[in-house]
Amino acid sequence: MSHFKPLLEQEMDYIGEVTINGISCAVGYSKKFKWSWMATQLNTFVFMAQTEDTIAKNTIEKFSSSCLEYAIKNNKGWPRGLQSAVGSIAILQSKNVDRSASDFCERFSKKHFSAFEIPIVFDSTKSIAYRYHQKPLWGKIYYPFFTKLISTITSKL
C-alpha cells in the first residue's frame, strides 16, 4: 500500500499502514479548524486499500465501518461532539466491483454522533469512484471539504 503514500502526503499527514478487516491499507490524517464550520474542528482520516477480490456490498460496508472505528479510537483532536467531529473516508480499489457495492456507496451513509463515514469503491478498470454526490443535511458544512478531498485523491488513482 506504499504506492498510496504519495497521494496521501500531498493532501494530509501520512500516518502509515494498518490492517483493516484483513486488508492492508495506507492511512492519512488531517486536523482542521474553520470558522465557516461553525467554529468546529474536523479530524479526517483517509484509508486507501487495494484488493484483487471482488468488492461486494458486504465487503465495503464492513471495511468502511471498521475504518470509522479506527478513526474514532485514534482521533487526536478535541473530544467528539464538543465543537469537534471525525471524518472517515474509506477508499477500496479493485478491478472487480459488484454493482451492490457501488449502489451502497452512492447512498447516504449511516448517521453517527459527530462522525462521518464515507465509503468509496474505486473501479480501476473504469477509473470511476463510486460515492455519495449530494450534500446531506446532517454534516452539510463539511461535505464541500470531503468532496474536494475525495475528488483530488481519486483523480490521481
Side-chain angles (χ1 to χ4, degrees):
M1 294 303 106
S2 59
H3 65 279
F4 291 130
K5 181 180 178 181
L7 291 174
L8 292 173
E9 286 179 329
Q10 290 174 12
E11 302 303 320
M12 53 197 355
D13 297 326
Y14 178 72
I15 292 177
E17 307 240 347
V18 297
T19 301
I20 305 281
N21 291 352
I23 302 170
S24 177
C25 55
V27 182
Y29 172 77
S30 73
K31 177 173 26 177
K32 295 189 183 299
F33 174 89
K34 290 188 180 185
W35 290 105
S36 61
W37 290 341
M38 297 170 30
T40 60
Q41 180 183 89
L42 178 62
N43 301 284
T44 306
F45 290 80
V46 175
F47 301 83
M48 297 184 74
Q50 186 173 9
T51 182
E52 296 299 318
D53 296 337
T54 298
I55 302 173
K57 176 188 179 273
N58 192 38
T59 310
I60 188 61
E61 186 174 27
K62 285 181 180 179
F63 180 72
S64 180
S65 177
S66 295
C67 289
L68 176 65
E69 287 176 27
Y70 176 95
I72 290 170
K73 286 179 187 173
N74 291 278
N75 178 24
K76 298 173 185 162
W78 300 331
R80 198 165 48 112
L82 298 175
Q83 291 302 105
S84 180
V86 174
S88 174
I89 300 170
I91 303 171
L92 190 54
Q93 179 181 13
S94 179
K95 293 178 183 177
N96 306 304
V97 175
D98 186 82
R99 186 68 195 162
S100 65
S102 57
D103 287 346
F104 173 76
C105 291
E106 290 176 335
R107 290 190 317 243
F108 182 62
S109 62
K110 302 171 191 166
K111 291 182 184 178
H112 304 281
F113 172 71
S114 293
F116 303 93
E117 178 183 357
I118 304 171
I120 299 165
V121 171
F122 189 85
D123 186 329
S124 55
T125 59
K126 298 176 184 176
S127 294
I128 296 174
Y130 295 100
R131 63 186 172 96
Y132 186 72
H133 287 281
Q134 298 174 8
K135 275 188 195 173
L137 182 58
W138 179 252
K140 183 178 183 176
I141 59 174
Y142 302 114
Y143 266 78
F145 169 76
F146 290 143
T147 299
K148 182 179 177 191
L149 180 61
I150 292 163
S151 294
T152 300
I153 291 172
T154 59
S155 70
K156 297 174 185 174
L157 289 176

